[in-house]
């Protein structure tokens, strides 16, 4: 299951189309950034996926051979990741596509038009329309194919793999910013503008409320073992909780809103993205700040670890994407080529390529 979603976090409300952006500058040139810890220089895309008529605000990999993008032009597209050719255009949304996801041969999109849609990946036909009362800012699949959507209408909803309504998760007092399944798919985690995150079972019951932030919560994410939760907020901090609701650590050190926080593959560290131009690394066991990844010139919105945790991928408002060595903090590669903000950047499943989507109406694929 691959998912990417975007909403306006700088204003703490749903955007008409999406969000997340990027940055860069380095020196020298060389081949493979995975070989040794030396600066590599600027890298330009191996493929440019051009065809959308408006910003590409969502993108994800469909295995190693295909890419799925979502755009403000109200469409999603499936691309061949080797040739760069568009293989399928999914048309039907009446407003910007905010989120895209895939599970097997099924595609899920969500939109500002207050709907999510299920599509057949082979034919491109829309199988079901899933409705909310506000923009649908998040949509994802569970490991078994169940569907989770979240909306500015203050609710998240669970749907069967076929798109039948199962549960409405009500309890937040303001718009939702994100929602995700636990690693096993047996619980749901939501984050809201009301300053809390909530844990739900699949019967629609709220089993825990995570409190401690003094401003809206942009995102809440599980650790890989499902036993911890990290939240990030406009109050300039991230919090680590156990699933019973106890706050284990408050991660401080940023001077502005923290837009994203993710656990490392071994759950020992948390990586943050913030409006203060930095990505940050923290120790989970102590809450200690370890280092900044400090090459961006503008806000950092998107961060990710490589599969072994040795590399960090960052994306910020300065139009480029960077890869850092996690241990040393050195910048290994700076990806250039976009003409506007980059909304999303993510590793391929093999961690040999990077996919980006931008306000310049293109997606790009970079080789590592």
């Amino acid at each position: 299951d691959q998912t990417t979603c975007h909403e306006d976090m700088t204003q703490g409300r749903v955007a008409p189309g999406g969000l997340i952006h990027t940055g860069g500058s380095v020196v020298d040139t060389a081949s493979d950034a995975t070989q040794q810890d030396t600066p590599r220089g600027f890298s330009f895309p191996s493929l440019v996926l051009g065809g959308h008529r408006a910003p590409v605000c969502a993108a994800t990999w469909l295995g190693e051979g295909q890419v799925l993008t979502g755009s403000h032009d109200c469409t999603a597209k499936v691309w061949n990741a080797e040739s760069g050719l568009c293989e399928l255009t999914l048309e039907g949304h009446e407003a910007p596509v905010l989120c895209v996801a895939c599970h097997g041969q099924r595609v899920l999109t969500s939109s500002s038009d207050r709907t999510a849609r299920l599509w057949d990946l082979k034919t491109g036909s829309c199988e079901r329309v899933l409705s909310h009362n506000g923009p649908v800012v998040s949509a994802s699949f569970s490991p078994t194919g169940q569907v989770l959507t979240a909306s500015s209408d203050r609710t998240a909803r669970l749907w069967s793999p076929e798109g039948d309504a199962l549960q409405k998760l009500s309890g937040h007092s303001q718009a939702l910013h994100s929602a995700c399944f636990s690693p096993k798919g047996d619980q749901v985690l939501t984050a809201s503008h009301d300053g809390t995150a909530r844990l739900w079972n699949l019967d629609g019951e709220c089993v825990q409320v995570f409190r401690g932030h003094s401003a809206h919560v942009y995102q809440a994410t599980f650790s890989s073992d499902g036993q911890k939760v990290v939240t990030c907020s406009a109050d300039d901090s991230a919090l680590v909780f156990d699933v019973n609701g106890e706050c284990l650590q408050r991660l401080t050190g940023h001077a502005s809103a923290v837009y994203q926080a993710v656990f490392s593959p071994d759950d020992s560290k948390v990586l943050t993205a913030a409006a203060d131009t930095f990505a940050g690394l923290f120790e989970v066991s102590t809450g200690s700040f370890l280092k900044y990844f400090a090459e961006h010139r503008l806000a950092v919105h998107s961060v990710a670890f490589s599969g072994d945790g040795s590399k960090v991928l960052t994306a910020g408002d300065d139009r480029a994407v960077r890869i850092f060595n996690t241990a040393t903090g050195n910048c290994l590669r700076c990806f250039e080529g976009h003409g506007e903000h980059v909304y999303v950047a993510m590793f391929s499943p093999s961690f040999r390529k990077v996919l980006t989507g931008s306000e310049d109406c293109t997606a790009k694929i970079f080789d590592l």
Side-chain angles (χ1 to χ4, degrees):
D1 175 19
Q2 295 283 333
T3 307
T4 182
C5 309
H6 298 294
E7 57 160 335
D8 186 344
M9 294 186 282
T10 60
Q11 298 300 320
R13 57 183 173 78
V14 176
L19 94 69
I20 288 188
H21 317 188
T22 8
S25 95
V26 165
V27 291
D28 202 24
T29 58
S31 53
D32 187 355
T34 64
Q35 302 261 329
Q36 54 183 324
D37 185 13
T38 56
R40 293 307 188 186
F42 295 105
S43 296
F44 292 92
S46 58
L47 281 177
V48 177
L49 311 180
H52 283 293
R53 302 182 307 277
V56 177
C57 55
T60 192
W61 293 89
L62 309 181
E64 199 75 18
Q66 288 181 308
V67 163
L68 173 64
T69 57
S71 171
H72 290 205
D73 67 9
C74 310
T75 72
K77 290 180 181 286
V78 177
W79 309 79
N80 185 301
E82 300 299 325
S83 68
L85 295 176
C86 180
E87 298 180 335
L88 207 58
T89 298
L90 309 179
E91 297 180 294
H93 283 295
E94 298 176 354
V97 174
L98 303 180
C99 188
V100 294
C102 185
H103 184 269
Q105 292 300 308
R106 311 186 75 218
V107 166
L108 177 63
T109 59
S110 71
S111 170
S112 296
D113 67 6
R114 303 184 178 189
T115 72
R117 288 175 178 253
L118 282 166
W119 311 78
D120 185 292
L121 182 57
K122 291 183 178 180
T123 65
S125 61
C126 179
E127 298 179 336
R128 294 294 291 268
V129 177
L130 317 178
S131 296
H132 273 271
N133 295 319
V136 183
V137 299
S138 174
S140 59
F141 287 104
S142 75
T144 60
Q146 278 194 333
V147 172
L148 171 65
T149 56
S151 171
S152 62
D153 68 7
R154 308 179 191 176
T155 72
R157 299 181 190 229
L158 286 167
W159 315 79
S160 73
E162 296 72 35
D164 297 321
L166 298 177
Q167 301 292 342
K168 180 178 178 181
L169 312 183
S170 298
H172 284 292
S173 61
Q174 296 188 48
L176 270 63
H177 291 301
S178 73
C180 65
F181 283 105
S182 63
K184 293 182 180 180
D186 58 349
Q187 292 180 307
V188 166
L189 185 61
T190 56
S192 170
H193 201 76
D194 66 12
T196 70
R198 288 175 179 251
L199 185 68
W200 313 76
N201 61 30
L202 298 189
D203 293 325
E205 177 187 5
C206 178
V207 296
Q208 196 57 251
V209 180
F210 302 101
R211 306 181 190 275
H213 285 294
S214 59
H216 41 277
V217 179
Y218 292 126
Q219 189 183 62
T221 307
F222 285 101
S223 58
S224 62
D225 63 5
Q227 297 305 301
K228 294 184 180 68
V229 166
V230 63
T231 59
C232 57
S233 170
D235 68 5
D236 309 346
S237 74
L239 300 179
V240 178
F241 297 87
D242 65 25
V243 290
N244 297 316
E246 180 183 355
C247 184
L248 304 176
Q249 306 294 346
R250 180 177 291 272
L251 310 181
T252 60
H254 286 292
S256 299
V258 181
Y259 294 143
Q260 188 180 15
V262 295
F263 286 99
S264 61
D266 65 0
D267 295 331
S268 68
K269 296 175 179 63
V270 165
L271 178 64
T272 55
D276 60 7
T277 77
F278 300 118
L281 189 68
F282 297 83
E283 189 73 45
V284 170
S285 61
T286 64
S288 300
F289 168 77
L290 299 177
K291 64 172 60 72
Y292 286 125
F293 302 99
E295 298 284 338
H296 285 282
R297 301 186 300 272
L298 297 170
V300 179
H301 283 280
S302 178
V303 290
F305 283 102
S306 61
D308 62 1
S310 67
K311 305 291 189 298
V312 163
L313 176 66
T314 63
D317 278 347
D318 49 1
R319 302 182 182 181
V321 179
R322 293 180 178 275
I323 291 180
F324 295 87
N325 181 297
T326 306
T328 67
N330 289 345
C331 183
L332 303 177
R333 190 78 68 90
C334 176
F335 299 110
E336 294 281 0
H338 282 295
E340 299 292 345
H341 298 317
V342 180
Y343 290 125
V344 59
M346 64 188 308
F347 286 110
S348 67
S350 68
F351 298 96
R352 294 174 182 169
K353 298 181 179 182
V354 167
L355 170 66
T356 61
S358 171
E359 190 177 353
D360 67 9
C361 307
T362 70
K364 290 178 168 57
I365 294 174
F366 298 84
D367 293 324
L368 297 184

